[in-house]
């Protein structure tokens, strides 16, 4: 009957609508996770940059200490003579 066919069509539409809602929800969740991953990657990149800057500062300090040590050694050698 026509009423039965319309009922079947409505049921199919409800099933499709439910599936679309499920997919939309999954997409929203995936978007949230992707945003969080991106935020974490930016934080990690910033931390790596900070570590790199600190290592360069340490290397510069070591170079200064090395220069000062060489100067002291030279001065000590002059005093011994």
């Amino acid at each position: 009957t026509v009423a039965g066919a319309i009922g079947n069509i409505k049921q199919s539409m409800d099933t499709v609508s439910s599936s679309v809602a499920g997919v939309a929800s999954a997409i929203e969740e995936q978007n949230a996770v992707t945003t969080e991953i991106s935020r974490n990657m930016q934080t990690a990149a910033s931390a790596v940059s900070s570590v790199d800057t600190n290592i360069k500062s340490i290397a510069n300090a070591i170079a200064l200490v090395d220069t000062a040590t060489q100067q002291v050694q030279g001065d000590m050698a002059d005093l011994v003579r």
Side-chain angles (χ1 to χ4, degrees):
T1 67
V2 173
I6 291 174
N8 287 340
I9 291 171
K10 181 179 179 337
Q11 185 178 11
S12 294
M13 289 176 61
D14 289 344
T15 301
V16 169
S17 178
S18 176
S19 295
V20 168
V23 169
S25 176
I27 289 171
E28 285 180 30
E29 187 173 330
Q30 186 175 22
N31 185 44
V33 169
T34 301
T35 299
E36 181 67 19
I37 289 170
S38 176
R39 191 176 314 118
N40 289 340
M41 292 300 293
Q42 289 172 353
T43 300
S46 177
V48 167
S49 177
S50 179
V51 167
D52 181 59
T53 299
N54 291 337
I55 288 172
K56 287 177 183 174
S57 295
I58 291 168
N60 289 336
I62 289 171
L64 290 173
V65 168
D66 184 51
T67 300
T69 301
Q70 290 175 14
Q71 181 64 43
V72 168
Q73 287 175 340
D75 291 347
M76 293 297 290
D78 289 345
L79 287 174
V80 171
R81 290 182 211 171

